[in-house]
Amino acid sequence: MKSSFFLLFFFPVIILSTGCVCLTNKKELDVKNEKIKNMELELLHKEEIMHDLLKSISIKDQEVGRLSQELQNAQLTIEDLRSSIQKLREVDVLVEEKKKKGDNHNNIETIPADTEMVMPGTDSVTREK
């Protein structure tokens, strides 16, 4: 009878301790599940931030491309203007040479046919004849 009393006393203790262990494990699992949910929310937030940054980078990249094209066009315009200025200087020199020779009554107002001139307000160079 002592052994049955002993078993009856320790059997509930064993069952209760097993239940406590299970409860402790359940609480730990709940805490871990909550941590996982928090990590998932953080990852979603970081993913949104990365998406926004990539979108911003794409917009900036397009703007850089547009500005590069504008710069290239401006450089071409500058080169055209330099060429036109050089040609106008050459015409100026020709006119000054003709003035020095004393032939200034009709030749001062005429420009040689092979000289290109820039028309104000246009980008193109036209030939005056």
Side-chain angles (χ1 to χ4, degrees), residues 34 53 68 95:
E34 185 149 343
L53 288 173
S68 295
V95 168

Side-chain angles (χ1 to χ4, degrees), residues 93-104 108:
V93 168
L94 289 174
V95 168
E96 288 297 320
E97 286 177 0
K98 286 184 179 181
K99 274 185 182 179
K100 287 180 183 176
K101 289 182 181 177
D103 191 17
N104 29 335
I108 292 176

Side-chain angles (χ1 to χ4, degrees), residues 62-85:
Q62 290 174 357
E63 188 175 338
V64 166
R66 182 184 57 81
L67 291 173
S68 295
Q69 184 63 38
E70 285 182 20
L71 178 64
Q72 186 178 12
N73 289 341
Q75 288 173 338
L76 289 174
T77 302
I78 289 170
E79 288 301 316
D80 288 345
L81 290 173
R82 282 183 181 157
S83 173
S84 297
I85 288 171

Side-chain angles (χ1 to χ4, degrees), residues 35 37-47:
K35 286 182 181 179
K37 286 180 184 177
N38 287 339
M39 286 181 186
E40 287 175 349
L41 289 174
E42 286 179 27
L43 285 174
L44 285 174
H45 180 68
K46 288 179 181 180
E47 183 180 343

Side-chain angles (χ1 to χ4, degrees), residues 3 6 21 63 88:
S3 68
F6 183 74
V21 169
E63 188 175 338
L88 288 173

